[in-house]
PDB file of all heavy atoms in Angstrom:
ATOM      1  N   LEU A1081      32.959 -24.875  41.877  1.00 91.00           N
ATOM      2  CA  LEU A1081      34.288 -24.769  42.488  1.00 91.00           C
ATOM      3  C   LEU A1081      35.222 -25.863  41.985  1.00 91.00           C
ATOM      4  O   LEU A1081      36.411 -25.617  41.753  1.00 91.00           O
ATOM      5  CB  LEU A1081      34.155 -24.836  44.012  1.00 91.00           C
ATOM      6  CG  LEU A1081      33.441 -23.655  44.674  1.00 91.00           C
ATOM      7  CD1 LEU A1081      33.285 -23.896  46.177  1.00 91.00           C
ATOM      8  CD2 LEU A1081      34.189 -22.352  44.429  1.00 91.00           C
ATOM      9  N   SER A1082      34.694 -27.074  41.806  1.00 89.00           N
ATOM     10  CA  SER A1082      35.535 -28.177  41.323  1.00 89.00           C
ATOM     11  C   SER A1082      35.993 -27.925  39.895  1.00 89.00           C
ATOM     12  O   SER A1082      37.171 -28.122  39.553  1.00 89.00           O
ATOM     13  CB  SER A1082      34.760 -29.496  41.406  1.00 89.00           C
ATOM     14  OG  SER A1082      34.396 -29.779  42.732  1.00 89.00           O
ATOM     15  N   PHE A1083      35.072 -27.477  39.035  1.00 88.00           N
ATOM     16  CA  PHE A1083      35.447 -27.192  37.642  1.00 88.00           C
ATOM     17  C   PHE A1083      36.465 -26.067  37.581  1.00 88.00           C
ATOM     18  O   PHE A1083      37.422 -26.121  36.802  1.00 88.00           O
ATOM     19  CB  PHE A1083      34.204 -26.830  36.836  1.00 88.00           C
ATOM     20  CG  PHE A1083      34.479 -26.648  35.368  1.00 88.00           C
ATOM     21  CD1 PHE A1083      34.513 -27.733  34.514  1.00 88.00           C
ATOM     22  CD2 PHE A1083      34.710 -25.388  34.847  1.00 88.00           C
ATOM     23  CE1 PHE A1083      34.774 -27.568  33.162  1.00 88.00           C
ATOM     24  CE2 PHE A1083      34.976 -25.210  33.497  1.00 88.00           C
ATOM     25  CZ  PHE A1083      35.006 -26.302  32.659  1.00 88.00           C
ATOM     26  N   ALA A1084      36.266 -25.032  38.400  1.00 90.00           N
ATOM     27  CA  ALA A1084      37.211 -23.914  38.423  1.00 90.00           C
ATOM     28  C   ALA A1084      38.593 -24.362  38.889  1.00 90.00           C
ATOM     29  O   ALA A1084      39.618 -23.911  38.365  1.00 90.00           O
ATOM     30  CB  ALA A1084      36.676 -22.805  39.326  1.00 90.00           C
ATOM     31  N   GLU A1085      38.641 -25.265  39.878  1.00 90.00           N
ATOM     32  CA  GLU A1085      39.932 -25.748  40.370  1.00 90.00           C
ATOM     33  C   GLU A1085      40.639 -26.604  39.327  1.00 90.00           C
ATOM     34  O   GLU A1085      41.857 -26.505  39.146  1.00 90.00           O
ATOM     35  CB  GLU A1085      39.729 -26.549  41.661  1.00 90.00           C
ATOM     36  CG  GLU A1085      41.009 -27.110  42.264  1.00 90.00           C
ATOM     37  CD  GLU A1085      41.989 -26.030  42.702  1.00 90.00           C
ATOM     38  OE1 GLU A1085      41.565 -24.858  42.826  1.00 90.00           O
ATOM     39  OE2 GLU A1085      43.173 -26.347  42.920  1.00 90.00           O
ATOM     40  N   ILE A1086      39.882 -27.445  38.613  1.00 88.00           N
ATOM     41  CA  ILE A1086      40.483 -28.237  37.536  1.00 88.00           C
ATOM     42  C   ILE A1086      41.054 -27.321  36.466  1.00 88.00           C
ATOM     43  O   ILE A1086      42.175 -27.506  35.977  1.00 88.00           O
ATOM     44  CB  ILE A1086      39.432 -29.192  36.934  1.00 88.00           C
ATOM     45  CG1 ILE A1086      39.103 -30.306  37.926  1.00 88.00           C
ATOM     46  CG2 ILE A1086      39.927 -29.791  35.628  1.00 88.00           C
ATOM     47  CD1 ILE A1086      37.960 -31.185  37.483  1.00 88.00           C
ATOM     48  N   GLN A1087      40.277 -26.301  36.097  1.00 88.00           N
ATOM     49  CA  GLN A1087      40.735 -25.345  35.088  1.00 88.00           C
ATOM     50  C   GLN A1087      41.986 -24.605  35.553  1.00 88.00           C
ATOM     51  O   GLN A1087      42.940 -24.416  34.788  1.00 88.00           O
ATOM     52  CB  GLN A1087      39.614 -24.353  34.794  1.00 88.00           C
ATOM     53  CG  GLN A1087      39.929 -23.353  33.716  1.00 88.00           C
ATOM     54  CD  GLN A1087      38.720 -22.521  33.376  1.00 88.00           C
ATOM     55  OE1 GLN A1087      38.214 -22.549  32.272  1.00 88.00           O
ATOM     56  NE2 GLN A1087      38.230 -21.766  34.349  1.00 88.00           N
ATOM     57  N   ARG A1088      42.018 -24.194  36.822  1.00 90.00           N
ATOM     58  CA  ARG A1088      43.171 -23.469  37.352  1.00 90.00           C
ATOM     59  C   ARG A1088      44.417 -24.355  37.333  1.00 90.00           C
ATOM     60  O   ARG A1088      45.514 -23.905  36.963  1.00 90.00           O
ATOM     61  CB  ARG A1088      42.890 -23.000  38.778  1.00 90.00           C
ATOM     62  CG  ARG A1088      43.980 -22.114  39.371  1.00 90.00           C
ATOM     63  CD  ARG A1088      43.774 -21.927  40.858  1.00 90.00           C
ATOM     64  NE  ARG A1088      44.022 -23.153  41.601  1.00 90.00           N
ATOM     65  CZ  ARG A1088      45.229 -23.573  41.940  1.00 90.00           C
ATOM     66  NH1 ARG A1088      46.312 -22.869  41.611  1.00 90.00           N
ATOM     67  NH2 ARG A1088      45.385 -24.696  42.616  1.00 90.00           N
ATOM     68  N   ARG A1089      44.276 -25.619  37.726  1.00 89.00           N
ATOM     69  CA  ARG A1089      45.439 -26.510  37.751  1.00 89.00           C
ATOM     70  C   ARG A1089      45.950 -26.788  36.344  1.00 89.00           C
ATOM     71  O   ARG A1089      47.165 -26.877  36.124  1.00 89.00           O
ATOM     72  CB  ARG A1089      45.074 -27.813  38.454  1.00 89.00           C
ATOM     73  CG  ARG A1089      44.828 -27.648  39.945  1.00 89.00           C
ATOM     74  CD  ARG A1089      44.773 -28.968  40.651  1.00 89.00           C
ATOM     75  NE  ARG A1089      44.582 -28.810  42.087  1.00 89.00           N
ATOM     76  CZ  ARG A1089      44.661 -29.808  42.954  1.00 89.00           C
ATOM     77  NH1 ARG A1089      44.923 -31.040  42.539  1.00 89.00           N
ATOM     78  NH2 ARG A1089      44.474 -29.592  44.249  1.00 89.00           N
ATOM     79  N   LEU A1090      45.044 -26.946  35.389  1.00 87.00           N
ATOM     80  CA  LEU A1090      45.486 -27.145  34.010  1.00 87.00           C
ATOM     81  C   LEU A1090      46.273 -25.938  33.514  1.00 87.00           C
ATOM     82  O   LEU A1090      47.355 -26.081  32.924  1.00 87.00           O
ATOM     83  CB  LEU A1090      44.269 -27.390  33.110  1.00 87.00           C
ATOM     84  CG  LEU A1090      43.634 -28.775  33.167  1.00 87.00           C
ATOM     85  CD1 LEU A1090      42.307 -28.780  32.425  1.00 87.00           C
ATOM     86  CD2 LEU A1090      44.565 -29.822  32.565  1.00 87.00           C
ATOM     87  N   VAL A1091      45.740 -24.741  33.749  1.00 88.00           N
ATOM     88  CA  VAL A1091      46.416 -23.528  33.298  1.00 88.00           C
ATOM     89  C   VAL A1091      47.770 -23.379  33.985  1.00 88.00           C
ATOM     90  O   VAL A1091      48.779 -23.051  33.355  1.00 88.00           O
ATOM     91  CB  VAL A1091      45.529 -22.293  33.567  1.00 88.00           C
ATOM     92  CG1 VAL A1091      46.293 -21.003  33.306  1.00 88.00           C
ATOM     93  CG2 VAL A1091      44.278 -22.343  32.704  1.00 88.00           C
ATOM     94  N   THR A1092      47.809 -23.636  35.288  1.00 88.00           N
ATOM     95  CA  THR A1092      49.063 -23.503  36.039  1.00 88.00           C
ATOM     96  C   THR A1092      50.100 -24.513  35.564  1.00 88.00           C
ATOM     97  O   THR A1092      51.275 -24.182  35.372  1.00 88.00           O
ATOM     98  CB  THR A1092      48.799 -23.676  37.541  1.00 88.00           C
ATOM     99  OG1 THR A1092      47.835 -22.704  37.970  1.00 88.00           O
ATOM    100  CG2 THR A1092      50.073 -23.476  38.333  1.00 88.00           C
ATOM    101  N   ASP A1093      49.681 -25.762  35.370  1.00 85.00           N
ATOM    102  CA  ASP A1093      50.623 -26.792  34.922  1.00 85.00           C
ATOM    103  C   ASP A1093      51.137 -26.524  33.516  1.00 85.00           C
ATOM    104  O   ASP A1093      52.240 -26.965  33.159  1.00 85.00           O
ATOM    105  CB  ASP A1093      49.966 -28.173  34.971  1.00 85.00           C
ATOM    106  CG  ASP A1093      49.734 -28.645  36.403  1.00 85.00           C
ATOM    107  OD1 ASP A1093      50.349 -28.058  37.313  1.00 85.00           O
ATOM    108  OD2 ASP A1093      48.936 -29.577  36.599  1.00 85.00           O
ATOM    109  N   LEU A1094      50.364 -25.827  32.706  1.00 85.00           N
ATOM    110  CA  LEU A1094      50.777 -25.512  31.347  1.00 85.00           C
ATOM    111  C   LEU A1094      51.597 -24.228  31.270  1.00 85.00           C
ATOM    112  O   LEU A1094      51.988 -23.805  30.177  1.00 85.00           O
ATOM    113  CB  LEU A1094      49.553 -25.392  30.434  1.00 85.00           C
ATOM    114  CG  LEU A1094      48.829 -26.709  30.144  1.00 85.00           C
ATOM    115  CD1 LEU A1094      47.496 -26.450  29.454  1.00 85.00           C
ATOM    116  CD2 LEU A1094      49.691 -27.633  29.296  1.00 85.00           C
ATOM    117  N   GLY A1095      51.847 -23.599  32.424  1.00 85.00           N
ATOM    118  CA  GLY A1095      52.707 -22.427  32.449  1.00 85.00           C
ATOM    119  C   GLY A1095      52.005 -21.102  32.594  1.00 85.00           C
ATOM    120  O   GLY A1095      52.651 -20.050  32.525  1.00 85.00           O
ATOM    121  N   GLY A1096      50.692 -21.099  32.794  1.00 86.00           N
ATOM    122  CA  GLY A1096      49.954 -19.854  32.956  1.00 86.00           C
ATOM    123  C   GLY A1096      49.845 -19.435  34.404  1.00 86.00           C
ATOM    124  O   GLY A1096      50.291 -20.144  35.316  1.00 86.00           O
ATOM    125  N   ASP A1097      49.252 -18.277  34.628  1.00 89.00           N
ATOM    126  CA  ASP A1097      49.082 -17.726  35.970  1.00 89.00           C
ATOM    127  C   ASP A1097      47.607 -17.401  36.165  1.00 89.00           C
ATOM    128  O   ASP A1097      47.088 -16.427  35.604  1.00 89.00           O
ATOM    129  CB  ASP A1097      49.932 -16.462  36.140  1.00 89.00           C
ATOM    130  CG  ASP A1097      49.835 -15.897  37.554  1.00 89.00           C
ATOM    131  OD1 ASP A1097      49.369 -16.622  38.449  1.00 89.00           O
ATOM    132  OD2 ASP A1097      50.218 -14.725  37.764  1.00 89.00           O
ATOM    133  N   LEU A1098      46.919 -18.234  36.925  1.00 88.00           N
ATOM    134  CA  LEU A1098      45.484 -18.067  37.152  1.00 88.00           C
ATOM    135  C   LEU A1098      45.179 -18.376  38.612  1.00 88.00           C
ATOM    136  O   LEU A1098      45.424 -19.486  39.080  1.00 88.00           O
ATOM    137  CB  LEU A1098      44.680 -19.010  36.244  1.00 88.00           C
ATOM    138  CG  LEU A1098      43.149 -18.897  36.309  1.00 88.00           C
ATOM    139  CD1 LEU A1098      42.694 -17.518  35.844  1.00 88.00           C
ATOM    140  CD2 LEU A1098      42.494 -19.990  35.471  1.00 88.00           C
ATOM    141  N   SER A1099      44.656 -17.386  39.326  1.00 89.00           N
ATOM    142  CA  SER A1099      44.333 -17.573  40.737  1.00 89.00           C
ATOM    143  C   SER A1099      43.000 -18.292  40.889  1.00 89.00           C
ATOM    144  O   SER A1099      42.217 -18.401  39.940  1.00 89.00           O
ATOM    145  CB  SER A1099      44.277 -16.220  41.453  1.00 89.00           C
ATOM    146  OG  SER A1099      43.203 -15.444  40.948  1.00 89.00           O
ATOM    147  N   ARG A1100      42.726 -18.774  42.106  1.00 89.00           N
ATOM    148  CA  ARG A1100      41.464 -19.468  42.358  1.00 89.00           C
ATOM    149  C   ARG A1100      40.275 -18.534  42.160  1.00 89.00           C
ATOM    150  O   ARG A1100      39.254 -18.919  41.575  1.00 89.00           O
ATOM    151  CB  ARG A1100      41.457 -20.036  43.778  1.00 89.00           C
ATOM    152  CG  ARG A1100      42.302 -21.280  43.957  1.00 89.00           C
ATOM    153  CD  ARG A1100      42.121 -21.900  45.329  1.00 89.00           C
ATOM    154  NE  ARG A1100      42.775 -23.193  45.417  1.00 89.00           N
ATOM    155  CZ  ARG A1100      44.047 -23.359  45.751  1.00 89.00           C
ATOM    156  NH1 ARG A1100      44.805 -22.287  46.012  1.00 89.00           N
ATOM    157  NH2 ARG A1100      44.570 -24.567  45.803  1.00 89.00           N
ATOM    158  N   ALA A1101      40.393 -17.296  42.656  1.00 90.00           N
ATOM    159  CA  ALA A1101      39.288 -16.348  42.520  1.00 90.00           C
ATOM    160  C   ALA A1101      39.002 -16.036  41.047  1.00 90.00           C
ATOM    161  O   ALA A1101      37.842 -16.012  40.616  1.00 90.00           O
ATOM    162  CB  ALA A1101      39.598 -15.065  43.288  1.00 90.00           C
ATOM    163  N   ASN A1102      40.044 -15.820  40.278  1.00 90.00           N
ATOM    164  CA  ASN A1102      39.852 -15.538  38.850  1.00 90.00           C
ATOM    165  C   ASN A1102      39.313 -16.739  38.100  1.00 90.00           C
ATOM    166  O   ASN A1102      38.537 -16.593  37.150  1.00 90.00           O
ATOM    167  CB  ASN A1102      41.179 -15.089  38.225  1.00 90.00           C
ATOM    168  CG  ASN A1102      41.582 -13.699  38.656  1.00 90.00           C
ATOM    169  OD1 ASN A1102      40.740 -12.888  39.045  1.00 90.00           O
ATOM    170  ND2 ASN A1102      42.872 -13.419  38.606  1.00 90.00           N
ATOM    171  N   SER A1103      39.702 -17.933  38.520  1.00 90.00           N
ATOM    172  CA  SER A1103      39.189 -19.132  37.867  1.00 90.00           C
ATOM    173  C   SER A1103      37.705 -19.314  38.139  1.00 90.00           C
ATOM    174  O   SER A1103      36.927 -19.675  37.242  1.00 90.00           O
ATOM    175  CB  SER A1103      39.970 -20.363  38.340  1.00 90.00           C
ATOM    176  OG  SER A1103      39.549 -21.516  37.652  1.00 90.00           O
ATOM    177  N   VAL A1104      37.278 -19.061  39.386  1.00 91.00           N
ATOM    178  CA  VAL A1104      35.849 -19.141  39.711  1.00 91.00           C
ATOM    179  C   VAL A1104      35.075 -18.081  38.935  1.00 91.00           C
ATOM    180  O   VAL A1104      33.999 -18.342  38.380  1.00 91.00           O
ATOM    181  CB  VAL A1104      35.639 -18.975  41.229  1.00 91.00           C
ATOM    182  CG1 VAL A1104      34.149 -18.858  41.548  1.00 91.00           C
ATOM    183  CG2 VAL A1104      36.245 -20.151  41.976  1.00 91.00           C
ATOM    184  N   GLU A1105      35.626 -16.863  38.877  1.00 90.00           N
ATOM    185  CA  GLU A1105      34.972 -15.796  38.127  1.00 90.00           C
ATOM    186  C   GLU A1105      34.836 -16.159  36.658  1.00 90.00           C
ATOM    187  O   GLU A1105      33.781 -15.951  36.040  1.00 90.00           O
ATOM    188  CB  GLU A1105      35.782 -14.506  38.276  1.00 90.00           C
ATOM    189  CG  GLU A1105      35.245 -13.344  37.458  1.00 90.00           C
ATOM    190  CD  GLU A1105      36.214 -12.190  37.402  1.00 90.00           C
ATOM    191  OE1 GLU A1105      37.221 -12.208  38.139  1.00 90.00           O
ATOM    192  OE2 GLU A1105      35.975 -11.267  36.597  1.00 90.00           O
ATOM    193  N   LEU A1106      35.898 -16.719  36.082  1.00 89.00           N
ATOM    194  CA  LEU A1106      35.870 -17.127  34.677  1.00 89.00           C
ATOM    195  C   LEU A1106      34.840 -18.228  34.453  1.00 89.00           C
ATOM    196  O   LEU A1106      34.098 -18.206  33.457  1.00 89.00           O
ATOM    197  CB  LEU A1106      37.257 -17.599  34.255  1.00 89.00           C
ATOM    198  CG  LEU A1106      37.395 -18.205  32.857  1.00 89.00           C
ATOM    199  CD1 LEU A1106      36.937 -17.218  31.803  1.00 89.00           C
ATOM    200  CD2 LEU A1106      38.836 -18.633  32.600  1.00 89.00           C
ATOM    201  N   THR A1107      34.754 -19.189  35.350  1.00 89.00           N
ATOM    202  CA  THR A1107      33.792 -20.276  35.207  1.00 89.00           C
ATOM    203  C   THR A1107      32.361 -19.751  35.249  1.00 89.00           C
ATOM    204  O   THR A1107      31.518 -20.133  34.422  1.00 89.00           O
ATOM    205  CB  THR A1107      33.999 -21.311  36.327  1.00 89.00           C
ATOM    206  OG1 THR A1107      35.329 -21.829  36.243  1.00 89.00           O
ATOM    207  CG2 THR A1107      33.013 -22.451  36.208  1.00 89.00           C
ATOM    208  N   LEU A1108      32.059 -18.866  36.203  1.00 89.00           N
ATOM    209  CA  LEU A1108      30.712 -18.312  36.318  1.00 89.00           C
ATOM    210  C   LEU A1108      30.362 -17.450  35.108  1.00 89.00           C
ATOM    211  O   LEU A1108      29.248 -17.533  34.565  1.00 89.00           O
ATOM    212  CB  LEU A1108      30.596 -17.500  37.604  1.00 89.00           C
ATOM    213  CG  LEU A1108      30.664 -18.293  38.915  1.00 89.00           C
ATOM    214  CD1 LEU A1108      30.677 -17.348  40.108  1.00 89.00           C
ATOM    215  CD2 LEU A1108      29.487 -19.253  39.028  1.00 89.00           C
ATOM    216  N   ALA A1109      31.310 -16.614  34.674  1.00 88.00           N
ATOM    217  CA  ALA A1109      31.035 -15.709  33.555  1.00 88.00           C
ATOM    218  C   ALA A1109      30.824 -16.474  32.255  1.00 88.00           C
ATOM    219  O   ALA A1109      29.862 -16.222  31.517  1.00 88.00           O
ATOM    220  CB  ALA A1109      32.173 -14.711  33.407  1.00 88.00           C
ATOM    221  N   SER A1110      31.709 -17.421  31.961  1.00 88.00           N
ATOM    222  CA  SER A1110      31.559 -18.188  30.721  1.00 88.00           C
ATOM    223  C   SER A1110      30.301 -19.047  30.744  1.00 88.00           C
ATOM    224  O   SER A1110      29.623 -19.187  29.713  1.00 88.00           O
ATOM    225  CB  SER A1110      32.797 -19.064  30.498  1.00 88.00           C
ATOM    226  OG  SER A1110      32.952 -19.997  31.560  1.00 88.00           O
ATOM    227  N   GLY A1111      29.947 -19.590  31.913  1.00 86.00           N
ATOM    228  CA  GLY A1111      28.714 -20.346  32.013  1.00 86.00           C
ATOM    229  C   GLY A1111      27.489 -19.480  31.800  1.00 86.00           C
ATOM    230  O   GLY A1111      26.527 -19.890  31.125  1.00 86.00           O
ATOM    231  N   ALA A1112      27.500 -18.264  32.353  1.00 85.00           N
ATOM    232  CA  ALA A1112      26.371 -17.354  32.166  1.00 85.00           C
ATOM    233  C   ALA A1112      26.228 -16.956  30.703  1.00 85.00           C
ATOM    234  O   ALA A1112      25.115 -16.901  30.162  1.00 85.00           O
ATOM    235  CB  ALA A1112      26.569 -16.109  33.035  1.00 85.00           C
ATOM    236  N   ILE A1113      27.364 -16.697  30.029  1.00 84.00           N
ATOM    237  CA  ILE A1113      27.314 -16.348  28.607  1.00 84.00           C
ATOM    238  C   ILE A1113      26.773 -17.514  27.791  1.00 84.00           C
ATOM    239  O   ILE A1113      25.940 -17.338  26.888  1.00 84.00           O
ATOM    240  CB  ILE A1113      28.717 -15.942  28.115  1.00 84.00           C
ATOM    241  CG1 ILE A1113      29.150 -14.629  28.774  1.00 84.00           C
ATOM    242  CG2 ILE A1113      28.751 -15.806  26.598  1.00 84.00           C
ATOM    243  CD1 ILE A1113      30.587 -14.248  28.492  1.00 84.00           C
ATOM    244  N   SER A1114      27.218 -18.728  28.100  1.00 82.00           N
ATOM    245  CA  SER A1114      26.777 -19.905  27.349  1.00 82.00           C
ATOM    246  C   SER A1114      25.287 -20.148  27.495  1.00 82.00           C
ATOM    247  O   SER A1114      24.619 -20.562  26.538  1.00 82.00           O
ATOM    248  CB  SER A1114      27.555 -21.140  27.815  1.00 82.00           C
ATOM    249  OG  SER A1114      28.935 -20.976  27.602  1.00 82.00           O
ATOM    250  N   MET A1115      24.742 -19.874  28.683  1.00 81.00           N
ATOM    251  CA  MET A1115      23.324 -20.148  28.922  1.00 81.00           C
ATOM    252  C   MET A1115      22.414 -19.004  28.489  1.00 81.00           C
ATOM    253  O   MET A1115      21.250 -19.229  28.143  1.00 81.00           O
ATOM    254  CB  MET A1115      23.101 -20.441  30.409  1.00 81.00           C
ATOM    255  CG  MET A1115      23.687 -21.753  30.883  1.00 81.00           C
ATOM    256  SD  MET A1115      23.285 -22.122  32.599  1.00 81.00           S
ATOM    257  CE  MET A1115      24.252 -20.862  33.447  1.00 81.00           C
TER     258      MET A1115
END
């Protein structure tokens, strides 16, 4: 959850649109692919 929130804030501050739910989903999916 912490990594997803950091990622969401970075994307938002840089001008993107990323919700908390999508950020958590992205973190879990990319982690599963990496492992």
Side-chain angles (χ1 to χ4, degrees):
L1081 293 176
S1082 299
F1083 185 84
E1085 180 63 16
I1086 289 173
Q1087 183 173 243
R1088 186 192 69 81
R1089 291 193 178 188
L1090 283 170
V1091 171
T1092 302
D1093 290 344
L1094 290 169
D1097 183 16
L1098 183 63
S1099 65
R1100 284 187 171 87
N1102 288 336
S1103 184
V1104 172
E1105 176 192 350
L1106 174 58
T1107 300
L1108 292 174
S1110 61
I1113 293 172
S1114 300
M1115 290 185 291

